[in-house]
Amino acid sequence: MPVSEETFSPVALATMPQEPQQTDFQLVRVKSTWYRIKKGEALSDGEDKITLSEAKISDTQSTKEQYSDFKPCFLILARGECISDGGISWTIEAPIYFCYKVVETYNILDPSNTTLLWGHITDPQQLELATSSKRKLRRFIVIDEVVDELYGSKVREYFEENNVQHKILALPTTEETKSMDLVLNILQEVQNFSIDRRTEPIIAIGGGVCLDIVGLAASLYRRRTPYIRVPTTLLSYVDASVGAKNGVNFLQCKNKLGGYTPPVASFLDRSFIQSIPRRHISNGLGEILKMALMKHKGLFDLLKTHGKYLLDTKFQSYSGSADRGDAALQTTRIAIETMLEELAPNLWEDDLDRLVDFGHLISPELEMRVLPSLMHGEAVNIDMAFMTYVAHVRGLITTEEKEQIIQCMRGLELPVWHSGCSWPLIKRALMERLKHSGGPPRMPLPTGLGVAEIFNDTSEETLERAYKLWVRDCKTMLEEEPAAL
């Protein structure tokens, strides 16, 4: 087959072309070796085991003038030859492909339910090989220590009944302990267990903090070890479990260290949610409301109509709830589907214009400042309540829409104001946002119920006016009807 075998040799500056010359190459693997061929060049029919990559390399030979400000230098190439300061630059385009599953299941800890063992495998042939293998299964599991108290015996029974060699590491996974120290603790235990990073995914069972910490640990071990998420709170069920992000807090800043490595699978079992306190249900509803306000009026209507019922029933489905159309199932599915619509095309956040950042402009600063008095979804909701007033002051939503939003928040038992969310904190948080948003503030705001846009032109005067109105209304509500916080 034709394979490019260019020989590089020193090029006299006098003979350099006056305009950059670019050549595009495709990457082709023949048997076990990758080669580059010029784009469009035909492949030989006689070759077998050929793989064509989506990645490509472009060579650009530069003119002398482009390097006129540089001292003479030499680039040593792979073949041991060199190019002088007229040099060649290489541009690499390497698409990164990830496939991960988000799977609804029920009774995942029933030993007859094999989702936790094989549910992450997407290829039928790989599944057949895995299930027919004589090799003993091994799994490393990290579980939140509170979840371990509730379900630890069932987790152990599950793996014992399925004859799986396992190690269960129970840890305190809270915002206060969400650190690199805990990540390193996990990695030491993973190393001791000696997992096979290709066939033995690490399993994380817990809330969002647990999933974040384990995700970061897995992404670091051997540069990327597959892992599985099993969320046990409503917040992690609809939020942390469906995306690619992981991370830990650093220097009192929320999620300052982290990366984008999705799990091979997230397994969603709503039966876990029945064991968490009511406040935690409300906490998760904050993130669901975010998606409702940004892009789905139907979801907003569900929350407005069935919010108390969802809190009372802890998102469980009952045979007698047909008149409600299984509000729990509808709510979680719409929340996840709308979240995936926003995340999947922008998994690595190359585009910083993100509707899912609504409620996350001020809340990271607020949450860490008053830790542990506010949970994540509560801090997000306070942020959203303030931004609802910003949208109203800007004329983006009507008074009636603003009141509907605030009333819905209160119906979901979410705080709409907190004394820690002062005007100086808001200004500081928005300045921090500017530092990391590539220039403009990128402020998502509702423009109605279930519709939104991103704005870059909100003045400080508008923000301050909104703040005063928000404090006047929402602080008064809190004083008249003290929250449970």
Side-chain angles (χ1 to χ4, degrees), residues 15-293:
T15 63
M16 291 287 293
Q18 293 304 302
E19 296 294 333
Q21 301 295 312
Q22 179 169 308
T23 307
D24 294 332
F25 295 90
Q26 294 175 294
L27 291 165
V28 177
R29 183 169 63 188
V30 182
K31 296 183 179 177
S32 299
T33 303
W34 285 100
Y35 301 93
R36 60 180 187 156
I37 66 170
K38 288 182 179 178
K39 189 175 180 181
E41 194 171 345
L43 300 175
S44 170
D45 294 335
E47 296 286 357
D48 58 354
K49 295 184 179 178
I50 292 178
T51 303
L52 181 64
S53 173
E54 292 183 22
K56 62 182 181 181
I57 297 175
S58 300
D59 286 359
T60 303
Q61 186 164 336
S62 305
T63 64
K64 175 184 176 182
E65 286 76 11
Q66 289 177 287
Y67 289 86
S68 58
D69 293 334
F70 292 87
K71 294 179 181 179
C73 63
F74 289 85
L75 300 176
I76 306 302
L77 304 180
R79 294 184 178 89
E81 295 167 327
C82 63
I83 294 293
S84 63
D85 62 349
I88 289 180
S89 65
W90 290 267
T91 301
I92 295 89
E93 294 182 32
I96 301 173
Y97 174 79
F98 274 104
C99 176
Y100 67 102
K101 302 169 71 174
V102 180
V103 181
E104 285 182 344
T105 186
Y106 193 73
N107 283 336
I108 195 171
L109 297 180
D110 184 330
S112 65
N113 184 344
T114 61
T115 301
L116 203 50
L117 302 179
W118 314 115
H120 64 286
I121 302 176
T122 56
D123 183 85
Q125 289 184 331
Q126 288 184 4
L127 180 59
E128 184 178 353
L129 285 171
T131 54
S132 61
S133 173
K134 303 295 184 184
R135 183 180 176 185
K136 189 177 180 69
L137 277 180
R138 302 172 76 252
R139 292 292 184 270
F140 184 91
I141 304 101
V142 181
I143 187 170
D144 174 80
E145 64 179 11
V146 176
V147 179
D148 187 50
E149 291 176 9
L150 295 169
Y151 296 100
S153 59
K154 293 189 72 173
V155 173
R156 288 164 179 81
E157 180 185 355
Y158 178 89
F159 289 108
E160 288 165 4
E161 287 287 322
N162 284 288
N163 195 31
V164 178
Q165 181 184 343
H166 60 280
K167 163 72 176 178
I168 296 176
L169 181 63
L171 293 173
T173 56
T174 65
E175 285 294 341
E176 294 93 327
T177 64
K178 190 179 183 183
S179 67
M180 281 303 297
D181 288 340
L182 205 55
V183 170
L184 294 174
N185 184 357
I186 293 169
L187 292 173
Q188 181 63 62
E189 295 294 337
V190 169
Q191 176 68 13
N192 294 342
F193 188 69
S194 188
I195 65 169
D196 181 330
R197 71 183 180 115
R198 294 297 183 193
T199 62
E200 297 171 1
I202 298 170
I203 299 172
I205 305 176
V209 173
C210 179
L211 305 188
D212 277 357
I213 293 170
V214 176
L216 181 57
S219 72
L220 293 173
Y221 190 72
R222 303 292 298 264
R223 296 188 178 88
R224 182 167 61 88
T225 295
Y227 69 102
I228 290 168
R229 289 171 171 162
V230 181
T232 58
T233 64
L234 178 61
L235 182 68
S236 59
Y237 189 102
V238 298
D239 186 44
S241 65
V242 301
K245 291 198 287 191
N246 52 64
V248 295
N249 302 333
F250 181 65
L251 298 178
Q252 297 183 312
C253 295
K254 188 172 176 65
N255 294 329
K256 201 71 168 181
L257 304 179
Y260 301 88
T261 305
V264 287
S266 289
F267 298 134
L268 312 181
D269 184 348
R270 270 188 295 128
S271 65
F272 284 116
I273 299 172
Q274 64 189 316
S275 63
I276 65 176
R278 186 180 182 94
R279 182 182 173 189
H280 287 247
I281 307 289
S282 182
N283 181 52
L285 282 164
E287 285 285 357
I288 296 175
L289 180 60
K290 174 188 76 175
M291 300 313 299
L293 293 175

Side-chain angles (χ1 to χ4, degrees), residues 343-359:
L343 297 183
N346 191 27
L347 207 57
W348 286 268
E349 298 183 10
D350 294 317
D351 183 355
L352 295 177
D353 287 335
R354 294 167 18 100
L355 290 180
V356 294
D357 281 347
F358 183 56

Side-chain angles (χ1 to χ4, degrees), residues 361 387 426-434 443 463:
L361 275 68
M387 289 299 170
I426 289 173
K427 290 199 293 183
R428 185 166 62 250
L430 292 177
M431 286 300 296
E432 185 71 12
R433 170 77 173 182
L434 277 172
M443 184 178 289
L463 290 168

